[in-house]
Amino acid sequence: MGLLRRQSSTECAAAVGALAALALYFRRRRRDITLTYLDAKGSAEATRLALHIGRVPFRDERLSYAEVALLRDELPFGQVPTLRVGDDLYCQSAAILRYAGRCAGLFPPDAESQLRCEMVLECIAEIGRDLLPLWYKSVLRRDPNGAPGVPLTQAQVQKVRNVVSTSYMPVGFQRLEKILGERTYFCGERMTIADLAFYVDATQIMEGTFLADTGVGPAVLLDCPNLRALRERVAARDDVAAYYREEATRPTQRAAPMRRASPSA
């Protein structure tokens, strides 16, 4: 009887695994996905990477700031990135990345690992939010019309820059370093979208291109050897290297006038 129970349990696990693989196969076959963002890394690069790594076909549309301004009333929340799936249009970079991770097989399958992945993504997002006053040069993000919300003086911007680059970000990354510990990736031996989200930000930080004039540089990761090693580990992957080889020769896909989302979006 014990042998039968063990055999039944093994068969059940195999069936669940087969169904998950089949679901992933059909998700990857979708050809009606369009990601729209600026012609920059920003809030869409981790999603682009995830879809590429997972071999999920999608259209990569890139806009100028002027084009985004013209389309603002057509966007669900007045901003990019957006993701069109079939006739439905979605927004919010975090939600889009999670969807891409699930489609690409880069989101953990079990609840506890999902919790860990979500935790890391939220930590990365919290570190990034400290930069918003430097990015917008204002206390608030842009108002609904696209203008800065409560602008900062140059002296205030400099003060924020000093505090963020010498305190907020270094401490935030040191805390993230403890979360990573000695693991290969944030969730263990398999890479997830949490690793991609960190990799995109950390690479720009190390290259000195992270949000151009915010003044954030490699020093914020100085005391984080495990995080720096993680960045190098992700960069060395064949699928990541292949994406950037293609990116170097990719013609920009200009966006056609956006259609309004259906009422169900």
Side-chain angles (χ1 to χ4, degrees):
M1 183 65 70
L3 178 62
L4 288 175
R5 281 200 296 269
R6 286 196 297 273
Q7 184 176 359
S8 176
S9 176
T10 301
E11 290 174 350
C12 182
V16 170
L19 287 173
L22 187 62
L24 178 59
Y25 169 76
F26 282 113
R27 287 200 298 271
R28 283 176 171 170
R29 284 181 61 85
R30 295 195 67 129
R31 296 184 181 276
D32 55 353
I33 296 176
T34 299
L35 176 66
T36 301
Y37 188 61
L38 300 165
D39 193 10
K41 292 181 178 180
S43 301
E45 187 73 355
T47 295
R48 292 175 184 139
L49 263 172
L51 294 174
H52 175 92
I53 291 170
R55 297 195 296 275
V56 180
F58 74 105
R59 180 174 174 79
D60 185 3
E61 291 185 332
R62 309 201 182 191
L63 306 175
S64 66
Y65 282 101
E67 288 169 323
V68 172
L70 290 173
L71 291 169
R72 201 172 298 281
D73 290 342
E74 302 294 320
L75 302 171
F77 217 66
Q79 59 192 9
V80 289
T82 63
L83 191 77
R84 184 175 291 283
V85 182
D87 292 327
D88 295 329
L89 188 63
Y90 301 93
C91 64
Q92 297 300 328
S93 58
I96 291 170
L97 176 58
R98 285 160 173 77
Y99 172 82
R102 291 183 176 95
C103 289
L106 293 170
F107 195 74
D110 63 280
E112 190 169 342
S113 294
Q114 289 173 5
L115 175 61
R116 184 175 184 82
C117 183
E118 297 270 12
M119 173 185 72
V120 172
L121 287 170
E122 289 302 316
C123 288
I124 294 169
E126 186 168 327
I127 292 171
R129 280 193 288 271
D130 291 332
L131 288 169
L132 291 180
L134 294 177
W135 178 245
Y136 292 114
K137 304 296 189 298
S138 60
V139 177
L140 304 172
R141 59 184 176 85
R142 291 191 183 95
D143 69 21
N145 296 315
V150 190
L152 296 169
T153 66
Q154 189 58 43
Q156 288 171 326
V157 169
Q158 186 58 51
K159 186 172 183 177
V160 172
R161 179 181 288 117
N162 292 340
V163 172
V164 167
S165 62
T166 61
S167 177
Y168 281 65
M169 291 197 76
V171 171
F173 281 124
Q174 288 161 23
R175 289 171 176 168
L176 199 60
E177 170 92 352
K178 292 179 181 178
I179 291 173
L180 174 62
E182 300 297 326
R183 296 175 183 83
T184 303
Y185 297 107
F186 278 115
C187 294
E189 294 302 313
R190 294 185 60 184
M191 185 177 72
T192 68
I193 52 174
D195 304 291
L196 292 181
F198 169 75
Y199 166 76
V200 169
D201 286 356
T203 295
Q204 294 176 89
I205 288 171
M206 297 303 290
E207 293 174 347
T209 60
F210 189 72
L211 298 182
D213 62 346
T214 58
V216 174
V220 299
L221 287 166
L222 184 63
D223 296 323
C224 305
N226 292 337
L227 287 180
R228 296 200 307 274
L230 172 62
R231 188 197 74 84
E232 294 170 0
R233 189 175 303 121
V234 173
R237 289 175 58 104
D238 290 342
D239 45 16
V240 173
Y243 168 79
Y244 284 108
R245 283 196 301 271
E246 291 183 18
E247 182 69 6
T249 59
R250 180 196 60 82
T252 299
Q253 298 181 42
R254 308 307 298 169
M258 295 187 69
R259 296 171 293 157
R260 288 188 181 275
S262 69
S264 61

